[in-house]
Amino acid sequence: TPRETRQQKPAAYTPAQREVIHHKDGPMNCIAVPGAGKTTCLVNRMLYLMDEGVAPEHILFVTFTQKAAREIRERVKKELKKKFGAYGNKNLPNIHTFNGLGYQILKENPVILGQRVKLASQIDRLRLIREILEKFPIQGVSYSGIYLPHGLIRSLERHFERIAASGEDNFRASYKGRDAEGILNAYRAY
């Protein structure tokens, strides 16, 4: 069962799990069904690499969700604290989401873009959408209460997320309002 997998001792790992844990040279992609012990294996792999002399800052772990990255980070911290006390939490591997890794790279290398990178705050995003609406007005929508929770700007934020996730053609096909092209023009400017 999944609970038993998490509590296994190293001798109880399956051959595939041991292969994941003891893989050292080159990248590795671990794909397995839920409950197969992926997280436990990957945490133990990071610990194994550190035991083998790999510096934590030379280990990169990338996952899709913030929840998974947090879980891995907390498990690694817990294991390092068991081994080294409070000192263990000072040297953690690089554990990121794909988006977080991209942001970290851009933040640490401003030369790539020619300027320092900063995440837009909610106020920055609202202001930007307001400026875009002045250049690309959308037909058939109310501009009254534009900043309210269900106002045009918040609505556009949600539309922009849908467009980014599913593409312009899917948005165009599923949008029930009058000016899908107006929203798409605003999205492109955004």
Side-chain angles (χ1 to χ4, degrees), residues 145-185:
I146 196 168
Y147 289 106
L148 293 175
H150 297 289
L152 179 58
I153 289 181
R154 300 293 172 118
S155 177
L156 284 175
E157 276 189 304
R158 289 187 292 275
H159 288 318
F160 292 172
E161 288 173 11
R162 279 183 45 213
I163 295 166
S166 63
E168 292 186 18
D169 290 336
N170 286 335
F171 176 79
R172 193 178 287 112
S174 66
Y175 182 66
K176 305 289 186 230
R178 285 185 11 194
D179 193 8
E181 289 307 315
I183 293 172
L184 289 168
N185 288 335

Side-chain angles (χ1 to χ4, degrees), residues 11-61:
Y13 289 127
T14 66
Q17 289 171 327
R18 280 193 296 279
E19 184 179 342
V20 168
I21 293 168
H22 297 111
H23 175 84
K24 186 173 178 186
D25 296 320
M28 183 186 71
N29 187 8
C30 177
I31 301 171
V33 298
K38 290 181 299 294
T39 302
T40 298
C41 289
L42 293 171
V43 165
N44 282 300
R45 175 168 185 244
M46 284 188 267
L47 296 169
Y48 169 78
L49 290 171
M50 287 186 272
D51 285 346
E52 291 292 305
V54 176
E57 61 271 16
H58 292 164
I59 298 172
L60 176 62
F61 183 95

Side-chain angles (χ1 to χ4, degrees):
T1 68
R3 183 152 179 78
E4 290 168 346
T5 302
R6 273 182 264 161
Q7 295 176 349
Q8 289 176 336
K9 303 262 184 265
Y13 289 127
T14 66
Q17 289 171 327
R18 280 193 296 279
E19 184 179 342
V20 168
I21 293 168
H22 297 111
H23 175 84
K24 186 173 178 186
D25 296 320
M28 183 186 71
N29 187 8
C30 177
I31 301 171
V33 298
K38 290 181 299 294
T39 302
T40 298
C41 289
L42 293 171
V43 165
N44 282 300
R45 175 168 185 244
M46 284 188 267
L47 296 169
Y48 169 78
L49 290 171
M50 287 186 272
D51 285 346
E52 291 292 305
V54 176
E57 61 271 16
H58 292 164
I59 298 172
L60 176 62
F61 183 95
V62 184
T63 187
F64 287 100
T65 66
Q66 290 181 8
K67 180 182 174 192
R70 268 192 310 274
E71 182 180 349
I72 293 289
R73 195 174 296 113
E74 289 307 312
R75 287 197 193 187
V76 171
K77 279 183 183 180
K78 182 179 171 184
E79 293 301 319
L80 288 174
K81 191 171 184 177
K82 275 190 215 171
K83 270 184 133 168
F84 303 109
Y87 176 76
N89 285 336
K90 293 181 182 164
N91 296 319
L92 290 175
N94 296 292
I95 302 168
H96 298 283
T97 61
F98 285 98
N99 290 339
L101 176 62
Y103 176 67
Q104 187 75 26
I105 290 168
L106 292 174
K107 191 170 93 173
E108 291 176 359
N109 300 281
V111 181
I112 294 171
L113 293 178
Q115 62 186 14
R116 287 234 170 260
V117 175
K118 147 188 154 170
L119 288 178
S121 70
Q122 179 69 17
I123 292 170
D124 294 334
R125 290 191 305 273
L126 298 178
R127 187 178 305 124
L128 178 60
I129 293 173
R130 176 64 183 184
E131 290 171 12
I132 288 169
L133 284 173
E134 291 172 9
K135 294 176 187 171
F136 300 96
I138 298 171
Q139 306 302 311
V141 295
S142 172
Y143 279 73
S144 176
I146 196 168
Y147 289 106
L148 293 175
H150 297 289
L152 179 58
I153 289 181
R154 300 293 172 118
S155 177
L156 284 175
E157 276 189 304
R158 289 187 292 275
H159 288 318
F160 292 172
E161 288 173 11
R162 279 183 45 213
I163 295 166
S166 63
E168 292 186 18
D169 290 336
N170 286 335
F171 176 79
R172 193 178 287 112
S174 66
Y175 182 66
K176 305 289 186 230
R178 285 185 11 194
D179 193 8
E181 289 307 315
I183 293 172
L184 289 168
N185 288 335
Y187 170 74
R188 288 181 205 113
Y190 180 74

